[in-house]
């Protein structure tokens, strides 16, 4: 009876360890995805700003102050959107990081509980052997 319980504790402990490894892998993947999203966002904004800058120069050369002003406004709007998106990504990173830490803590606590149960089962078995 107690040997089976000990085996169960070991297999449960192995499952918790596997969950911890999976959690670490998921966290790394999530961080990598957000980093890629941030990079793509910067590249997109950089390309849009370069294009608008070119258009603005062309309009200034044509002495179209209204058009150049409109291009400057669009550039400002793109920069504002970039800041907003970056703030959202940072917020998501913070949320994912906190959730990861909570899950990791829960799994570690589960591992400690299982290790205590395993130790208790071993001690009970030793006591039974000494008594028997």
């Amino acid at each position: 009876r107690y040997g089976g319980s000990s085996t169960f504790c070991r297999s449960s402990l192995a499952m918790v360890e596997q969950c911890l490894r999976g959690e670490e892998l998921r966290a790394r993947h999530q961080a990598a995805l957000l980093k890629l999203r941030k990079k793509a966002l910067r590249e997109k904004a950089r390309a849009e700003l370069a294009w608008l800058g070119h258009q603005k120069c062309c309009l200034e050369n044509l002495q179209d102050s209204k058009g150049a002003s409109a291009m400057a406004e669009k550039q400002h709007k793109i920069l504002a959107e970039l800041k907003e998106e970056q703030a959202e990504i940072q917020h998501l990173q913070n949320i994912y990081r906190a959730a990861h830490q909570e899950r990791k803590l829960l799994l570690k606590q589960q591992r400690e509980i299982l290790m205590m149960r395993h130790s208790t089962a071993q001690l009970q078995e030793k006591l039974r052997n000494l008594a028997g």
Side-chain angles (χ1 to χ4, degrees):
R1 174 181 170 201
Y2 291 99
S5 176
S6 177
T7 303
F8 174 74
C9 283
R10 279 194 300 273
S11 67
S12 295
L13 190 57
M15 283 180 19
V16 169
E17 295 294 337
Q18 184 179 357
C19 286
L20 272 168
R21 286 189 300 273
E23 177 59 34
E24 288 299 326
L25 182 63
R26 276 188 297 282
R28 284 194 304 271
H29 284 170
Q30 190 63 51
L33 286 173
L34 287 173
K35 187 176 178 180
L36 285 173
R37 181 175 168 191
K38 213 179 224 182
K39 183 179 177 183
L41 181 65
R42 281 192 310 266
E43 288 174 359
K44 178 185 174 213
R46 190 176 298 124
E48 287 176 345
L49 290 171
W51 173 247
L52 288 173
H54 173 71
Q55 285 183 319
K56 182 180 168 189
C57 283
C58 290
L59 290 169
E60 286 172 347
N61 289 340
L62 295 173
Q63 297 180 345
D64 182 355
S65 61
K66 279 187 179 180
S69 175
M71 291 302 125
E73 184 61 36
K74 286 182 182 181
Q75 286 175 322
H76 180 72
K77 182 180 175 188
I78 288 171
L79 287 171
E81 288 173 357
L82 174 64
K83 271 188 160 185
E84 190 177 312
E85 283 281 332
Q86 287 176 329
E88 181 183 333
I89 290 170
Q90 186 62 47
H91 179 67
L92 287 173
Q93 284 176 322
N94 293 340
I95 288 171
Y96 291 145
R97 192 176 298 119
H100 165 66
Q101 290 301 326
E102 286 179 27
R103 288 188 300 268
K104 192 173 165 183
L105 179 62
L106 286 172
L107 287 167
K108 284 183 177 183
Q109 289 173 343
Q110 182 67 29
R111 180 176 57 188
E112 289 172 8
I113 290 168
L114 288 168
M115 289 171 66
M116 283 188 263
R117 284 183 177 170
H118 180 68
S119 297
T120 302
Q122 284 180 329
L123 286 173
Q124 286 177 341
E125 188 151 346
K126 283 181 184 178
L127 285 173
R128 288 214 188 296
N129 288 340
L130 287 173

